[in-house]
Amino acid sequence: MTEAILLVGGQGTRLRPVTVNTPKPMVPAAGVPFLAHQIARAAAAGVTHIVMATCYLAEVFEPYFGDGSAFGVHLEYVVEDEPLGTGGAIRNAAQRLTGGPDEPVLVFNGDILTGLDIAGLVASHQEADADVSLHLVRVEDPRAFGLVPTDSEGRVLAFTEKPQTPEEIVTDQINAGCYVFRRSVIDSIPAGRPVSVERETFPGLLASGAKLHGKTEDTYWLDLGKPESFVQASADLVRGVVASPAVPGPRGEALVLPGAEVAEGAKLSGGTVVGAGARIEAGAVVRGSIVLDGATLGADTDVSASLIGARAVVGARTVLDGAVVGDGAQVGADNELRTGVRVWCEAELPPASLRFSSDR
Ligand code: GDD
Ligand code: MG
């Protein structure tokens, strides 16, 4: 039996893919709330008990995830009155774990999508007889992450969260947000106050000579901090670039959920999702996007890498590329909205108001 803690909360939580009005961690990726993929992937790797550590009300999650039995796990919720930080949340959630002091405990950040071999990480943790094992990935620009240099055996040499100076950037190897802790190590985290696992626990453990083992696995890995990456994650799940048992349909170029209406002649590709009650009109071309429930894309719209909120309406011929349209917003016909643009929930943009093209 393997137990896990899923971190979903915090003041600075980056799970803010869109301005939609639904609770943020429940915004669907590939047709289901993003966390469903993490839970299903953990279950598939043999995890049987998950404690979700949140600062949100449990009412946000419980109606959908319940006791976890639909996912084949026993799911519990622990709600912090005040955000306890990553380390404090782990310590607090561990009260619900049932394993002994030497048992491995998986811990996941709730805002990453990864193809990590979870069972493999647990196995290597036990083989290395480590106190904590960390999944590490290499990235081009490590500045927004926790830097984790290791020696040739994988032993962690330092942990520098979000380096501030060029001198601190000693590696492109970063903390991928998935750990295995020896249970007794979690119990050594101070209780009842905010603790950052990245800034306090890991450096403290290293200073005291604990064995932290880094496993650099070159696998699918995406941090969902930005809406662009959330849309990308959804598209990759639909296309099967990364596997999740929670995707409600076969892998392919598009996932059209029951109750959606796609006109003949509309073209869906690149892992596009069309939610229940959404309507895609004739001539629309939609690539790698999320169209949430009840939204409408008008005739001949051209939509790429965008997130269209629930009930939003996009008028004919409008071009969206890397855009986020909030729930219930109305974007008139003949607009052109590109990279990074955010339309507020319920906002109304008149026809032919905006374009990005040059005059020539
Ligand atoms: N329950 C609870 N309480 N969860 C929290 C709290 C808290 O007070 N604070 C943060 N979390 C959760 C977030 O919801 C997220 O799932 C995870 O812990 C990490 O927190 P973030 O705020 O998203 O941190 P980050 O993205 O800046 O950096 C972290 O992730 C990177 C990888 O994506 C760090 O772990 C970095 O070292 C790492 O590289
Ligand atoms: Mg994050």
Side-chain angles (χ1 to χ4, degrees):
M1 143 145 181
T2 309
E3 297 186 292
I5 295 171
L6 181 55
L7 296 174
V8 197
Q11 275 165 335
T13 181
R14 306 270 198 86
L15 253 168
R16 250 182 233 130
V18 68
T19 54
V20 287
N21 296 330
T22 48
K24 309 294 189 284
M26 300 299 282
V27 177
V32 294
F34 175 71
L35 292 175
H37 300 294
Q38 285 194 318
I39 294 170
R41 284 189 49 86
V47 172
T48 48
H49 181 201
I50 299 180
V51 183
M52 208 189 265
T54 89
C55 319
Y56 299 92
L57 299 176
E59 292 98 89
V60 171
F61 305 104
E62 262 186 303
Y64 189 88
F65 296 109
D67 64 359
S69 49
F71 293 83
V73 295
H74 172 211
L75 181 60
E76 290 187 76
Y77 308 86
V78 174
V79 183
E80 298 144 38
D81 299 332
E82 295 295 326
L84 287 173
T86 46
I90 295 168
R91 173 72 163 89
N92 190 46
Q95 296 170 47
R96 300 290 183 89
L97 300 177
T98 58
D102 270 333
E103 287 299 313
V105 178
L106 274 157
V107 177
F108 301 94
N109 284 358
D111 59 351
I112 45 158
L113 178 62
T114 167
L116 172 72
D117 170 9
I118 297 170
L121 184 68
V122 177
S124 84
H125 170 81
Q126 284 171 318
E127 206 171 293
D129 195 28
D131 293 305
V132 184
S133 295
L134 300 87
H135 174 214
L136 309 177
V137 289
R138 293 205 149 84
V139 293
E140 224 160 81
D141 182 358
R143 285 175 298 178
F145 302 102
L147 264 56
V148 191
T150 50
D151 71 11
S152 56
E153 260 94 67
R155 187 155 185 154
V156 173
L157 300 172
F159 195 110
T160 309
E161 183 67 12
K162 304 202 175 55
Q164 298 296 311
T165 62
E167 295 74 48
E168 283 183 321
I169 305 175
V170 295
T171 178
D172 59 355
Q173 227 173 225
I174 61 132
N175 167 24
C178 177
Y179 324 112
V180 184
F181 274 80
R182 189 197 298 280
R183 167 67 205 263
S184 57
V185 173
I186 297 181
D187 293 335
S188 74
I189 298 173
R193 69 162 170 90
V195 177
S196 161
V197 82
E198 297 90 350
R199 294 178 193 277
E200 183 175 340
T201 310
F202 291 146
L205 285 169
L206 286 170
S208 71
K211 187 170 183 190
L212 271 62
H213 183 75
K215 187 158 188 272
T216 311
E217 190 176 300
D218 198 10
T219 176
Y220 182 96
W221 187 83
L222 199 57
D223 174 296
L224 305 184
K226 296 185 196 133
E228 301 80 274
S229 26
F230 190 86
V231 174
Q232 176 78 49
S234 175
D236 289 341
L237 285 160
V238 170
R239 290 166 61 224
V241 177
V242 57
S244 160
V247 177
R251 310 298 174 261
E253 284 298 296
L255 173 66
V256 178
L257 295 171
E261 218 181 290
V262 179
E264 220 173 295
K267 286 202 191 75
L268 308 179
S269 65
T272 290
V273 189
V274 185
R279 211 170 80 227
I280 314 291
E281 296 181 355
V285 177
V286 192
R287 305 171 207 87
S289 295
I290 303 176
V291 183
L292 292 178
D293 292 3
T296 301
L297 296 184
D300 301 317
T301 44
D302 185 322
V303 178
S304 309
S306 294
L307 201 165
I308 319 301
R311 298 170 288 99
V313 178
V314 178
R317 295 172 302 282
T318 282
V319 176
L320 302 176
D321 186 3
V324 176
V325 177
D327 285 351
Q330 313 241 353
V331 177
D334 300 303
N335 279 295
E336 182 188 354
L337 306 179
R338 294 197 186 265
T339 316
V341 70
R342 309 272 180 270
V343 180
W344 289 89
C345 292
E346 315 294 339
E348 286 176 34
L349 192 64
S353 307
L354 283 176
R355 68 172 183 175
F356 276 59
S357 351
S358 73
D359 282 339
R360 280 183 297 146

